[in-house]
Amino acid sequence: MKKVQKRVFFEFFSWAALILMPFLGGCRTRHEVESAHRIEPVEVKPIHITIDVNIRVDRALDDFFGDLDEADETIQ
Amino acid sequence: MNKHKVSFVLLVLFAAGLLTTFSAGAADLAQLRERMRVRIPTINELKQDGAVGENNQGYLEWLRDPGDLYDEEERVNEYEEKVEAENNDRRRVYSLIAASQGVEKTLVGERRASQIAASAVPGVWVQREDGEWVEVPEEE
């Protein structure tokens, strides 16, 4: 009797497992972590660089021509 | 020992070379400035007569034939020489500034042109960035 019970028990669970197998996929959970690695482009600021260069050149011109311009009546 | 002496002599020569170069540059600038200062009255006369104007590259430019403006040939020649000399000196100054600032000589000339145009007194002819020549108007 015990043997028969065991076999029935085993068969029941075997069939149950076989039937439930396709549905196991539904129990799966999916976790996606989106990690975006964006490389920011190096920002070149040509306008600022140009202004900086112009300021430096203007200063150098002022250093040289400053006295001359003061003596020049055609320059205010 | 001899090696050390040779190195020392080379070092002294190198330092002397550097010193000479820098003093020559400074002397060059001082001479340029002095020559330009002496020329100011003549250049101003030409500018006020409308014979020359300041172009947009930082140089003087003839706007009228000096032969039409002035009768004496000697005077005309003198003016032409002075304008040429002034432009040559300006070119030299722009080159020196360009070298010291690591920029193109043309940029230095353009910056000087805009400085002159911004501060020119009425009656002086200046060339705008677009190439048009305009006489600085009287202030109201």
Side-chain angles (χ1 to χ4, degrees):
Chain A
M1 186 65 185
K2 247 185 176 179
K3 267 187 182 178
V4 175
Q5 265 182 340
K6 261 186 182 176
R7 213 173 69 192
V8 169
F9 194 70
F10 177 76
E11 275 181 14
F12 173 77
F13 276 101
S14 298
W15 278 109
L18 208 65
I19 291 161
L20 291 174
M21 194 74 82
F23 301 102
L24 286 175
C27 302
R28 186 171 63 139
T29 58
R30 192 176 169 189
H31 304 280
E32 275 184 21
V33 179
E34 279 186 27
S35 64
H37 295 279
R38 280 193 301 169
I39 299 169
E40 294 293 335
V42 177
E43 235 181 296
V44 180
K45 296 174 178 170
I47 295 168
H48 292 124
I49 291 166
T50 306
I51 290 168
D52 181 50
V53 167
N54 289 347
I55 289 169
R56 280 195 291 120
V57 171
D58 286 354
R59 203 172 293 149
L61 284 166
D62 288 339
D63 286 345
F64 182 83
F65 288 102
D67 294 344
L68 294 171
D69 287 349
E70 274 179 27
D72 192 335
E73 288 169 6
T74 63
I75 290 175
Q76 290 170 347
Chain B
M1 183 66 182
N2 276 340
K3 243 184 186 177
H4 288 296
K5 270 186 182 173
V6 171
S7 305
F8 180 71
V9 170
L10 284 175
L11 193 71
V12 168
L13 285 175
F14 179 70
L18 275 181
L19 202 67
T20 312
T21 310
F22 282 118
S23 5
D28 196 16
L29 278 173
Q31 283 175 358
L32 281 167
R33 194 182 281 119
E34 194 45 40
R35 286 204 299 263
M36 292 171 109
R37 187 191 306 279
V38 169
R39 245 181 255 126
I40 287 175
T42 313
I43 301 296
N44 283 357
E45 193 185 327
L46 290 168
K47 281 195 206 176
Q48 279 154 351
D49 286 348
V52 295
E54 294 280 357
N55 74 15
N56 59 13
Q57 299 299 303
Y59 298 100
L60 291 172
E61 198 169 312
W62 285 100
L63 299 176
R64 294 165 73 182
D65 188 346
D68 294 343
L69 285 169
Y70 312 106
D71 296 332
E72 300 156 47
E73 202 183 321
E74 255 181 53
R75 203 173 166 198
V76 171
N77 291 341
E78 185 201 327
Y79 285 160
E80 283 179 337
E81 278 169 21
K82 283 199 173 170
V83 168
E84 196 182 339
E86 174 72 12
N87 280 340
N88 287 338
D89 283 348
R90 286 188 187 187
R91 201 167 287 117
R92 178 84 184 124
V93 174
Y94 300 159
S95 292
L96 289 169
I97 291 175
S100 72
Q101 299 299 320
V103 296
E104 292 289 323
K105 188 172 72 179
T106 49
L107 172 74
V108 181
E110 285 166 7
R111 295 303 303 167
R112 178 61 185 157
S114 65
Q115 282 184 345
I116 294 170
S119 54
V121 297
V124 172
W125 285 82
V126 292
Q127 189 181 29
R128 294 196 325 197
E129 280 181 31
D130 62 6
E132 189 191 348
W133 283 95
V134 291
E135 186 180 5
V136 177
E138 291 289 336
E139 283 170 7
E140 288 172 13

